[in-house]
Amino acid sequence: MPGLLLGDTFPNFEADTTIGKIKFHDFLGDSWGILFSHPRDFTPVCTTELARAAKLSKEFEKRNVKMIALSIDSVEDHKAWSKDVMAYSCEPDRPLPYPIIADDKRELSVQLGMLDPDERDQQGMPLTARCVFVVDPHKKLKLSILYPATTGRNFDELLRVIDSLQLTAQKKVATPVDWKPGDKVMVIPTLSEAEAAKLFTNGVTTKEVPSGKTYLRFTQP
Ligand code: BEZ
């Protein structure tokens, strides 16, 4: 079965979570969404990731992105683990600011292609990898990344990517290497010079290159 492709409508799955049963599309409403999966509750790297995600939750909120985590344990385990996460985050009195999906039967992990065959539990069952899915307000998959269980993600990078996705959804631009909000962006190659001049009233500068081609066009969005 082919996995989810960018641009696909994200499945409207039903799941038990720490805030009760949800249907994914209803949970998202008109917001963007980020779903991030974890190998297991009460594991070290996952705990650092969930704590960082909690610390950055206001930043996701500012960008109108609803957060939801997933791990292959029960709601009861997730609730107990959430307390450890918030204690690790040095905010022991604050509840975890996003729900966690309980995928203890691994059904969703299989459906969404999230299992890591190289990492197994004591019973030899595969654990979930560190997947990230970003979904736009039309429920289309805009970003998918997959890290192995042994490599924690960078949640600042996820915010940076969301800034790029949201900007490029609005304007005919692309963000170059190491781009940060406020930096110059690039005019997409399919836009003619005349169209670019009309759209980008801040001006377009073209970097000269040996080929003489004029594809390196920068503008301030
Ligand atoms: C962790 O979260 O620390 C972890 C989980 C599974 C395999 C390796 C590391």
Side-chain angles (χ1 to χ4, degrees):
M1 185 188 69
L4 275 174
L5 300 177
L6 296 185
D8 284 353
T9 299
F10 205 84
N12 188 16
F13 61 82
E14 263 189 30
D16 285 323
T17 78
T18 46
I19 54 164
K21 215 180 236 331
I22 62 154
K23 277 200 96 174
F24 190 52
H25 290 190
D26 297 340
F27 167 75
L28 292 177
D30 295 330
S31 303
W32 287 69
I34 183 166
L35 189 164
F36 40 102
S37 68
H38 299 270
R40 200 95 232 210
D41 293 6
F42 306 107
T43 51
V45 177
C46 297
T47 303
T48 62
E49 287 192 320
L50 260 71
R52 183 73 186 137
K55 270 269 189 287
L56 292 174
S57 63
K58 290 263 179 318
E59 291 299 320
F60 285 93
E61 207 179 298
K62 264 193 229 164
R63 291 161 175 81
N64 191 29
V65 180
K66 282 204 161 179
M67 310 168 79
I68 191 161
L70 176 150
S71 167
I72 53 176
D73 291 292
S74 64
V75 166
E76 203 176 291
D77 282 341
H78 288 349
K79 286 185 173 168
W81 182 36
S82 300
K83 294 191 180 131
D84 289 3
V85 168
M86 295 313 283
Y88 179 76
S89 179
C90 302
E91 304 171 282
D93 300 325
R94 183 180 169 220
L96 189 74
Y98 51 83
I100 312 178
I101 296 168
D103 190 31
D104 33 355
K105 298 198 186 75
R106 291 172 167 78
E107 284 168 357
L108 202 49
S109 300
V110 169
Q111 185 191 349
L112 299 176
M114 297 195 288
L115 290 179
D116 178 352
D118 279 349
E119 291 294 337
R120 293 176 183 265
D121 65 14
Q122 269 114 350
Q123 284 75 46
M125 295 289 284
L127 299 173
T128 31
R130 300 185 194 281
C131 282
V132 181
F133 295 116
V134 176
V135 179
D136 76 5
H138 307 290
K139 320 288 184 285
K140 302 282 185 205
L141 179 65
K142 300 303 289 183
L143 172 95
S144 154
I145 65 171
L146 182 57
Y147 281 30
T150 42
T151 303
R153 288 155 288 195
N154 181 325
F155 277 72
D156 292 305
E157 167 63 4
L158 295 179
L159 285 172
R160 191 192 73 89
V161 169
I162 286 167
D163 285 333
S164 170
L165 292 173
Q166 294 187 337
L167 176 68
T168 57
Q170 298 296 324
K171 302 196 171 175
K172 289 185 187 293
V173 298
T175 60
V177 62
D178 297 338
W179 172 87
K180 296 181 299 316
D183 288 354
K184 284 191 170 172
V185 297
M186 311 202 79
V187 177
I188 52 170
T190 47
L191 214 59
S192 71
E193 255 176 60
E195 286 169 317
K198 208 152 87 189
L199 271 181
F200 304 114
T201 48
N202 286 335
V204 176
T205 51
T206 305
K207 169 84 182 149
E208 283 182 26
V209 283
S211 67
K213 296 183 192 292
T214 56
Y215 57 94
L216 282 165
R217 299 181 294 175
F218 291 87
T219 188
Q220 195 71 54

